[in-house]
Amino acid sequence: MCTVPDMAGVRNHEDLDAWKLCWELKERVFVFTATGPASRDFKFRDQIRSAASSAADCLSEGFYRYYSREFARFCSMTRGSLGEIMNQLQHAKEQNYVSTSEFDEGSLLARCAMGKTTNLLKYLLRCPPRG
């Protein structure tokens, strides 16, 4: 499903497929944590929102670093945040904070974001160390 990113057409962080998926995931997390039981579990709500924001933020920040290895480090942090989101989504499902379909959609989105971010990371690690 995911291939090596085409960096030729990328002008800003918003052009990255990985960032687009992370952003969409963040938006969905904020929607389901705004109402219902998830909104009242403050620790959970804040934790998953922080992880969801961090995933998109790290890709954005990394994109504007001068060297590819620096960007790769931020992709690695994004992967960590996405892993945390996947774990928190499982918690949300077990606590009935999300429906089965919301869980499935969120999990698929998180896995796709993870795949795109992983491919971007691999691409960046193949670049010359100072390029």
Side-chain angles (χ1 to χ4, degrees):
M1 178 205 294
C2 300
T3 60
V4 175
D6 178 14
M7 296 298 286
V10 175
R11 300 272 186 240
N12 61 60
H13 69 278
E14 294 170 330
D15 294 333
L16 296 168
D17 289 339
W19 181 86
K20 291 174 188 176
L21 291 167
C22 287
W23 187 264
E24 183 178 345
L25 181 59
K26 178 189 75 82
E27 292 295 307
R28 286 181 186 227
V29 164
F30 273 72
V31 166
F32 92 78
T33 58
T35 60
S39 69
R40 295 184 294 276
D41 184 342
F42 302 120
K43 186 175 179 183
F44 167 78
R45 182 199 64 203
D46 293 347
Q47 187 71 29
I48 195 169
R49 282 182 168 193
S50 176
S53 294
S54 178
D57 290 348
C58 283
L59 284 177
S60 178
E61 184 174 353
F63 181 83
Y64 295 100
R65 296 294 174 142
Y66 191 73
Y67 298 112
S68 59
R69 297 292 162 110
E70 288 183 274
F71 188 5
R73 186 169 55 88
F74 281 87
C75 287
S76 180
M77 289 187 278
T78 295
R79 284 180 41 80
S81 293
L82 289 167
E84 183 178 356
I85 294 165
M86 288 189 274
N87 187 67
Q88 292 292 337
L89 284 171
Q90 185 66 42
H91 175 76
K93 179 182 174 190
E94 290 175 6
Q95 296 299 311
N96 294 314
Y97 293 168
V98 293
S99 67
T100 300
S101 65
E102 288 173 317
F103 170 79
D104 291 344
E105 291 170 7
S107 294
L108 178 61
L109 192 53
R111 285 192 308 274
C112 288
M114 181 72 80
K116 289 289 187 180
T117 301
T118 300
N119 285 341
L120 178 57
L121 174 60
K122 289 177 182 178
Y123 170 82
L124 292 167
L125 291 175
R126 285 193 307 268
C127 292
R130 291 308 228 175

